[in-house]
Amino acid sequence: MISHTVYFSLGSNLGDRSLVIRQAIALLAERVGAVCRQSSLMETKPWGFESDNLFLNACVCCTTTLQPREVLEVTRRIEQELGRTRKSVDGIYHDRVIDIDLLLYDDWHVDEPDLKIPHPLMHQRDFVMRPLREIYPEPI
């Protein structure tokens, strides 16, 4: 089987944020593939909406034999299992127990209604780019 490299952004601003991020990383390792790199945790202000709850963010890199659509389905199930009840719709963001975004998958480009790789907004988000730079081997 061919192994692929996938990068994720994780964020949480409700509950025990660091515990939820650790649980999400463990589930990614179990269901997507081995975690080969992990950034430090970073506390950031909400982006795109107002909230008194600060986010804890991180990025991880996994190796996987799954295809991008399968990876997306796994991340959605992990979010639900960890307590996420709704996704952002039409750019309306809200507090969340966990958010897992698929950022990069090898050097692939995917443009489907619910799956865009590379993630189209990642360069606008310091809370994504700072931890990603810690673990990505080349200039982004």
Side-chain angles (χ1 to χ4, degrees):
M1 296 199 124
I2 296 174
S3 183
H4 302 278
T5 303
V6 60
Y7 287 85
F8 298 97
S9 173
L10 297 92
S12 174
N13 78 330
L14 293 176
D16 187 337
R17 302 169 303 160
S18 61
L19 174 63
V20 171
I21 297 256
R22 287 193 312 271
Q23 290 173 327
I25 292 169
L27 290 169
L28 287 171
E30 178 184 307
R31 298 177 188 175
V32 172
V35 173
C36 49
R37 289 187 289 279
Q38 178 179 333
S39 75
S40 57
L41 295 175
M42 194 170 300
E43 195 168 60
T44 63
K45 293 180 181 176
W47 184 92
F49 72 104
E50 296 293 322
S51 175
D52 293 333
N53 302 314
L54 294 176
F55 273 88
L56 211 53
N57 296 98
C59 285
V60 297
C61 175
C62 295
T63 55
T64 189
T65 57
L66 301 177
Q67 292 297 301
R69 171 73 43 199
E70 295 171 306
V71 172
L72 179 65
E73 290 168 5
V74 167
T75 61
R76 286 179 174 168
R77 282 194 301 275
I78 291 171
E79 287 177 333
Q80 289 173 345
E81 287 175 32
L82 293 178
R84 178 126 188 216
T85 56
R86 59 186 174 150
K87 289 292 277 185
S88 304
V89 177
D90 296 328
I92 298 173
Y93 301 101
H94 49 80
D95 292 320
R96 58 204 76 129
V97 172
I98 188 67
D99 185 34
I100 305 171
D101 286 335
L102 172 55
L103 301 176
L104 300 163
Y105 183 101
D106 289 342
D107 60 354
W108 291 24
H109 291 265
V110 178
D111 189 6
E112 298 173 6
D114 64 337
L115 178 60
K116 306 227 184 279
I117 302 171
H119 191 289
L121 299 176
M122 69 183 206
H123 289 90
Q124 298 174 19
R125 299 172 170 176
D126 194 46
F127 66 87
V128 171
M129 297 307 292
R130 281 178 44 217
L132 183 59
R133 282 187 192 104
E134 286 184 18
I135 63 170
Y136 195 76
E138 304 165 17
I140 302 171

